[in-house]
Amino acid sequence: MASSLDQANAAAAQSPQQAAKLYSSVLFAEPSSTVSASERETALLSLATLYERMHDAAALTNLINSSQPFLVTVSKAKSSKLIRTLVDRFNGIPGALQAQISTCKGMLEWAKSGNREYLRQSLETRLVSLYLDSQMYTEALALISQLLSELKKLDDRMQLVEVHLLESRVYLALKNLPKSRAALTSARTAANSIYTPPPLQAQLDLQSGTLHSEEGDYKTAYSYFFETMEGLNVYANSRNAGESSAAAANYEQQQLQAFAYMILCKIMTQQPDDITSLFATGKTAAKFRDRQTVVALQAVAKAQKQRSLADFEKALSEFRDELQSDELIRSHLTALYDTLMEQNLVRLIEPYSRVEITHIAKLIGLPIGVVENKLSQMILDKVFYGILDQGNGCLVVFPEPRHDSTYDTTLDTIKSLSNVVESLYAKAATL
């Protein structure tokens, strides 16, 4: 059967359907045949990879379900590793998230029926991650609660770290920062008592940096993102780490994400000039110079440096996919855009006590409705004092009112007199 595997490997690139048949003939050969368990395992993994390249989620689901008789014949540790690998093959198929969830649930039932507790917990952890990706937060939190209760009894620290990290990510997605930070603290506490593999440590650092960014502490966040990028250096190079090319590509993508967040921190701290020096921090940063996400953030930094809303909007429009696909980047750039608009509007209306809104809109290069809404918001937030005269289409700016200390002094005098009267009353009562 080794020849069948060789033929399938040779046909995989030119004729995927023919290769699939050859792999299937090895995997599902009769038990009485001379096919070894290692050959069946090779055929199973190769066929799963082939379906991933073909973007055939239905065929991959069918393969996982039909391979259960073979998985029963190998050791529990081996079968657990194979199943996790097979479920991860969905990652390379666009739009296969629901199929992956369904398959994961099916294999969970199979694990429960065979009393494979370690596999069940591993698949439940993977299912939490899938629920998070599909924004099914209620289901994710329910499963996390069940898993944490079991893992604390078993004292499985490694998986406990992973589940607490997922819990932190779920609460962050729900914008519940206190609970997200508490879950991350629990994950770090568990991680401190065991050896934490660098990829998992990098995920902890990335989550820490994300939380600090949400809280506005960009300097601390920058240091965590830097640690994330550097910690994955060896793993992102498959030749050095002995990793598969797919795993190395995943680690490199995480590095790129961390580097993009580093640039975002520089933008949010009003230090766009420092971005150029980031590329000199090592080979890791230099290799991301031409990536679209990095180019997009550089365009935003340039617009920020020039305080140009037109260039900012141009960057957001030209690199929409790169800047809108990441929640952290999108939310912070939205806040930055509002801040930049406020700064520009304050600078434009500063010379005037009364000015037409159409004139401001023309100067700033934005629609009248957008400018009018922003001005009203700024007045309510007391960025400046004034009113919108909508009848005449004008903005009337008032001078900033001076604080009159007379009222405060009067209140203090009345309070002192009240204290004197109460003191006299207390002394009179003792007579």
Side-chain angles (χ1 to χ4, degrees):
M1 284 297 171
S3 60
S4 297
L5 285 175
D6 293 337
Q7 292 175 14
N9 292 334
Q14 302 297 329
S15 179
Q17 297 297 339
Q18 180 63 27
K21 291 180 180 179
L22 291 170
Y23 285 133
S24 298
S25 68
V26 176
L27 176 60
F28 301 112
E30 293 295 329
S32 58
S33 66
T34 58
V35 181
S36 66
S38 62
E39 289 174 338
R40 292 179 192 271
E41 179 185 338
T42 301
L44 175 60
L45 295 176
S46 299
L47 187 54
T49 303
L50 182 64
Y51 286 145
E52 181 185 16
R53 289 205 302 264
M54 294 168 63
H55 294 171
D56 194 340
L60 183 54
T61 300
N62 184 59
L63 172 66
I64 294 173
N65 293 331
S66 60
S67 64
Q68 291 177 6
F70 164 68
L71 294 172
V72 174
T73 63
V74 299
S75 66
K76 288 188 176 182
K78 173 74 74 174
S79 64
S80 298
K81 183 178 180 181
L82 286 173
I83 290 170
R84 292 196 301 271
T85 302
L86 292 173
V87 171
D88 287 343
R89 290 280 77 81
F90 282 98
N91 295 340
I93 304 177
L97 187 56
Q98 291 305 317
Q100 191 174 13
I101 291 174
S102 177
T103 303
C104 195
K105 286 181 176 179
M107 296 310 295
L108 261 174
E109 294 301 320
W110 180 77
K112 290 177 182 178
S113 64
N115 293 323
R116 298 167 181 256
E117 292 301 311
Y118 176 75
L119 174 61
R120 176 184 63 79
Q121 292 171 352
S122 179
L123 287 174
E124 285 178 343
T125 303
R126 187 73 182 91
L127 187 58
V128 169
S129 178
L130 296 175
Y131 280 153
L132 175 61
D133 292 339
S134 59
Q135 299 181 357
M136 300 168 65
Y137 304 126
T138 304
E139 293 84 348
L141 288 174
L143 192 52
I144 284 171
S145 178
Q146 174 190 326
L147 269 171
L148 288 177
S149 177
E150 294 180 9
L151 293 173
K152 286 176 182 177
K153 292 177 182 177
L154 295 172
D155 201 28
D156 188 344
R157 300 291 179 86
M158 184 65 72
Q159 198 159 353
L160 200 58
V161 172
E162 295 179 14
V163 176
H164 275 306
L165 178 59
L166 286 170
E167 182 185 21
S168 178
R169 291 173 58 196
V170 171
Y171 280 124
L172 178 61
L174 292 171
K175 301 302 180 184
N176 191 334
L177 296 185
K179 286 191 174 182
S180 179
R181 179 159 291 286
L184 181 61
T185 301
S186 299
R188 286 195 172 277
T189 302
N192 287 338
S193 60
I194 59 172
Y195 168 73
T196 307
L200 182 57
Q201 183 62 48
Q203 290 185 41
L204 290 171
D205 290 336
L206 185 66
Q207 183 69 6
S208 296
T210 303
L211 280 172
H212 280 289
S213 296
E214 292 289 351
E215 294 169 352
D217 186 1
Y218 297 109
K219 290 185 178 180
T220 306
Y222 177 89
S223 64
Y224 276 116
F225 294 141
F226 180 79
E227 289 296 329
T228 301
M229 187 179 71
E230 291 299 312
L232 292 172
N233 260 343
V234 176
Y235 291 84
N237 191 330
S238 58
R239 290 174 298 179
N240 293 342
E243 297 283 344
S244 67
S245 57
N250 181 47
Y251 292 135
E252 186 172 318
Q253 184 62 33
Q254 291 180 36
Q255 278 190 307
L256 174 60
Q257 183 183 24
F259 185 62
Y261 290 169
M262 288 167 63
I263 297 177
L264 179 66
C265 289
K266 291 297 183 183
I267 292 174
M268 298 306 295
T269 53
Q270 308 289 324
Q271 296 175 308
D273 292 332
D274 291 353
I275 294 176
T276 305
S277 63
L278 290 182
F279 296 106
T281 56
K283 294 181 180 179
T284 305
K287 70 181 179 182
F288 296 133
R289 182 187 297 272
D290 298 325
R291 297 293 183 93
Q292 282 296 96
T293 304
V294 174
V295 173
L297 287 170
Q298 284 181 292
V300 170
K302 184 178 179 182
Q304 182 207 32
K305 182 180 179 180
Q306 297 175 351
R307 294 187 177 183
S308 171
L309 271 179
D311 290 346
F312 199 111
E313 286 193 327
K314 182 181 178 182
L316 292 178
S317 176
E318 185 177 350
F319 301 101
R320 180 174 298 276
D321 293 339
E322 290 79 8
L323 298 177
Q324 298 294 321
S325 59
D326 189 285
E327 174 63 26
L328 185 69
I329 293 176
R330 180 174 68 250
S331 62
H332 282 76
L333 289 188
T334 300
L336 180 64
Y337 179 81
D338 288 341
T339 303
L340 194 60
M341 186 189 295
E342 282 188 9
Q343 291 174 349
N344 276 264
L345 285 172
V346 168
R347 179 170 53 84
L348 289 174
I349 65 177
E350 189 174 6
Y352 302 101
S353 60
R354 185 182 185 90
V355 59
E356 291 184 351
I357 298 175
T358 53
H359 179 63
I360 299 175
K362 182 179 179 181
L363 290 176
I364 202 170
L366 292 174
I368 296 176
V370 173
V371 173
E372 189 173 336
N373 288 336
K374 188 61 182 177
L375 288 172
S376 63
Q377 180 186 340
M378 291 169 68
I379 292 172
L380 291 173
D381 292 341
K382 296 184 178 180
V383 176
F384 67 90
Y385 294 87
I387 59 170
L388 289 173
D389 184 355
Q390 293 183 321
N392 296 315
C394 292
L395 169 69
V396 181
V397 182
F398 301 145
E400 186 173 346
R402 295 181 178 179
H403 181 68
D404 193 344
S405 60
T406 305
Y407 296 107
D408 294 334
T409 305
T410 303
L411 288 172
D412 290 339
T413 303
I414 293 173
K415 185 177 179 181
S416 298
L417 285 172
S418 176
N419 291 336
V420 170
V421 171
E422 288 178 2
S423 177
L424 290 173
Y425 180 79
K427 288 182 179 180
T430 60
L431 295 177

